[in-house]
Amino acid sequence: MSLPVGSAIPTRAPWPPSARDAGEWLSAERGVRRGRRALRGVLIGLLALVMAASGLVVLGSETSATGFAGFLIGVSLAVLPLPLVIAGLRWVDRYEPEPKALLAFAFFWGATVAALIAAVLNTASAIIVARTSDAGQGMATTAVLIAPWVEEAAKGAAVLAVFLFRRKEFDGIVDGIVLAGFVGVGFAFTENILYFGRAFLAGNEQLGVTGGLFAAGTTFVLRGVLAPFAHPLFTTMTGIGLGIAAQGRRGRGRWLAPIGGYLLAVVLHATWNYSSLSGLHGFLVGYVLIMVPVFLLTLGVATWSRRREGATIATWLPLYVQSGWLVDDDVAMLASMPRRRQATAWAERTYGGASSRALHDFQLAGTELAFLRDRAERGHPVGDFTARERQLLAELSRSRAAVSGPARP
C-alpha cells in the first residue's frame, strides 16, 4: 500500500532539496531564535506568577464566602460541565489545533486574573451604587449595567493579548472562538464555585445538609446543565470580532469588528443577567429567546468557519504541488478531516504510533503553511513570511521522512 501523503519529496523541490538539508536549516533557525525564546520565557514566568497570585486571592475569597464544605461542593459541581464545553471547543478547532499551552493560558486567565478583576470592580461598584439606594438595588444595578462591561473586558483582554503578541497562532474566526471560549470556561468555572458554594451554605443554614445539597443541585441545574456555555458564548463575540480583524485587510473594518464584537458580548451578557434577575420565569424566557438562538447562531458560524479553513487549504496548497513540495493526494488529505483521520489511522496500523504522530505533524505543518500563504495573499503584513515558510517546508520534509518505517508484522 502506498503512503497516503505521497512517497517522497520530489527532487525538483527548490529548497531544501532533501530532508537532511531541512534538518540542518531547522537547527540553524533554532539557534537564531534561542535568544527570543529566553526573553519569552521570562515574560511567561512573570505572567504565570501574576495568574498564580490572582488565583490564590480568588481561592481565599471564595473559601471565605462559602465555607470549606461549600467550597468543596462548589468545586465538585463546577468541574462537571467542563468536559462537555471543552470537547465542543476542541471539535471546532480540528484543522489547526491551538497549542495546549495557549489554551491553558486562556483558561487560567479567565479563572484567575479575569475573575479577580471582575470581583474587585463589581464589588466596589455595588457598594458605591448601594450608597444611593440599598444593597439589593446595588447588586441588581451592578449585574446589569456594570458587570457585563467589566467582565467582558477582563476576559477579552486575554484574546486580545494573543491576537497582538502571538499573531502567528491567530488566523481567523475559529481561533477567536476557541480562545475566547476557553477564557469563558475558566471564568465560569471560578464563578460557578462561588454560586454553588453559596447556595449550599444558605441551604445548609436553613435546612441542614440535605437542604444545602438541594439548593446547590438546583443552582447546578440552572447554571451547569441549562447554561454551561453562557460565559464562553458571551466572550466568543469578542473572539469573532478579533477573528474578522485577523482575516481582514488594513482599514476601518479591522478596528470596528473587535469593538463591535465586544459591544455585542456586553449586550448579550447584560440581557442575560437582566432576565436571570426576573426569577425562574425570566430565566426560562431569556434562555429560550436569547441563549438558545445565539448559541445555535454561533455554532453555525463556527461550523462555517471550520469548513472555510478546509477550503483555504484546498486553495493555496496546490501552489506547493507545482513547486514539488506536495502531491495532489497530500492536498486532498489535508483539506478533509475524514481523510486526515483515515490517514493517521492507517499510519498507526501499518507503522505504529511514531508514524502516526509524524503524520499528524505533517498535517499541522501543511495547515499552517496554507494559512500563512492565505494571510500573505490577502495583503496582511507578514514580516517573517520567508523565514516562516521555510520553517514549515522544512517541517513538512522532516515529518514526511519520519512517517514511513518498518511495517508491523
Side-chain angles (χ1 to χ4, degrees):
M1 182 181 291
S2 61
L3 197 63
V5 295
S7 58
I9 293 293
T11 56
R12 68 179 182 278
W15 181 95
S18 68
R20 176 183 175 183
D21 291 340
E24 291 176 354
W25 186 89
L26 279 175
S27 298
E29 183 70 8
R30 291 191 189 102
V32 171
R33 292 174 2 200
R34 194 168 297 148
R36 297 178 186 173
R37 289 180 177 176
L39 177 60
R40 183 184 301 170
V42 172
L43 296 177
I44 291 174
L46 292 175
L47 182 60
L49 287 175
V50 170
M51 290 194 291
S54 300
L56 289 175
V57 174
V58 171
L59 175 64
S61 174
E62 293 199 337
T63 305
S64 175
T66 63
F68 185 69
F71 178 77
L72 292 180
I73 294 293
V75 170
S76 300
L77 293 176
V79 167
L80 296 180
L82 292 184
L84 172 65
V85 182
I86 291 176
L89 293 171
R90 296 290 283 173
W91 173 83
V92 175
D93 196 28
R94 294 296 296 276
Y95 275 106
E96 187 195 21
E98 295 299 308
K100 292 181 180 179
L102 211 56
L103 297 179
F105 158 73
F107 178 87
F108 285 108
W109 176 276
T112 59
V113 178
L116 180 60
I117 292 173
V120 171
L121 295 182
N122 288 345
T123 301
S125 300
I127 293 173
I128 294 172
V129 175
R131 289 178 179 175
T132 62
S133 54
D134 56 59
Q137 185 64 34
M139 292 296 293
T141 301
T142 299
V144 177
L145 299 180
I146 299 173
W149 295 92
V150 172
E151 294 177 11
E152 295 311 318
K155 291 183 291 179
V159 190
L160 178 62
V162 177
F163 177 84
L164 293 176
F165 301 110
R166 291 296 299 275
R167 187 64 182 82
K168 70 178 183 179
E169 303 293 351
F170 205 118
D171 295 301
I173 293 175
V174 169
D175 292 338
I177 289 175
V178 172
L179 289 167
F182 267 83
V183 178
V185 170
F187 188 92
F189 172 72
T190 298
E191 189 177 71
N192 282 340
I193 293 173
L194 186 62
Y195 275 90
F196 299 154
R198 280 179 174 174
F200 173 81
L201 182 63
N204 184 49
E205 290 176 348
Q206 296 178 8
L207 301 172
V209 175
T210 302
L213 292 175
F214 178 80
T218 302
T219 306
F220 171 76
V221 171
L222 294 176
R223 294 182 63 87
V225 176
L226 294 180
F229 288 94
H231 273 292
L233 188 61
F234 303 146
T235 314
T236 290
M237 300 301 109
T238 303
I240 291 175
L242 288 168
I244 293 173
Q247 292 178 334
R249 298 185 179 182
R250 291 180 177 178
R252 245 180 236 180
R254 295 195 68 194
W255 297 99
L256 293 178
I259 294 173
Y262 168 68
L263 293 177
L264 182 56
V266 170
V267 170
L268 288 174
H269 196 156
T271 306
W272 174 250
N273 284 358
Y274 179 78
S275 67
S276 300
L277 290 172
S278 304
L280 182 60
H281 179 265
F283 175 88
L284 294 177
V285 170
Y287 182 78
V288 173
L289 297 182
I290 300 172
M291 185 63 66
V292 173
V294 173
F295 174 78
L296 293 177
L297 180 61
T298 304
L299 181 62
V301 171
T303 303
W304 172 83
S305 299
R306 201 177 84 152
R307 290 177 178 173
R308 187 176 181 278
E309 289 188 336
T312 298
I313 293 171
T315 298
W316 297 118
L317 285 190
L319 295 177
Y320 298 95
V321 173
Q322 298 171 12
S323 61
W325 283 101
L326 299 169
V327 297
D328 290 331
D329 287 344
D330 293 337
V331 177
M333 182 268 292
L334 290 168
S336 167
M337 287 306 305
R339 291 193 180 188
R340 286 187 177 209
R341 290 192 293 269
Q342 292 171 4
T344 53
W346 177 86
E348 172 74 27
R349 291 194 308 269
T350 307
Y351 296 113
S355 177
S356 178
R357 289 190 293 273
L359 183 52
H360 176 76
D361 293 341
F362 180 89
Q363 293 171 347
L364 183 59
T367 303
E368 292 182 355
L369 181 62
F371 291 171
L372 178 71
R373 171 64 65 172
D374 182 64
R375 289 200 302 271
E377 296 289 345
R378 286 174 174 270
H380 293 189
V382 186
D384 60 343
F385 174 81
T386 301
R388 182 64 178 152
E389 182 185 45
R390 287 191 171 191
Q391 180 187 6
L392 292 171
L393 289 173
E395 178 60 27
L396 281 176
S397 180
R398 183 205 62 78
S399 56
R400 186 200 291 283
V403 169
S404 60
R408 284 182 170 180

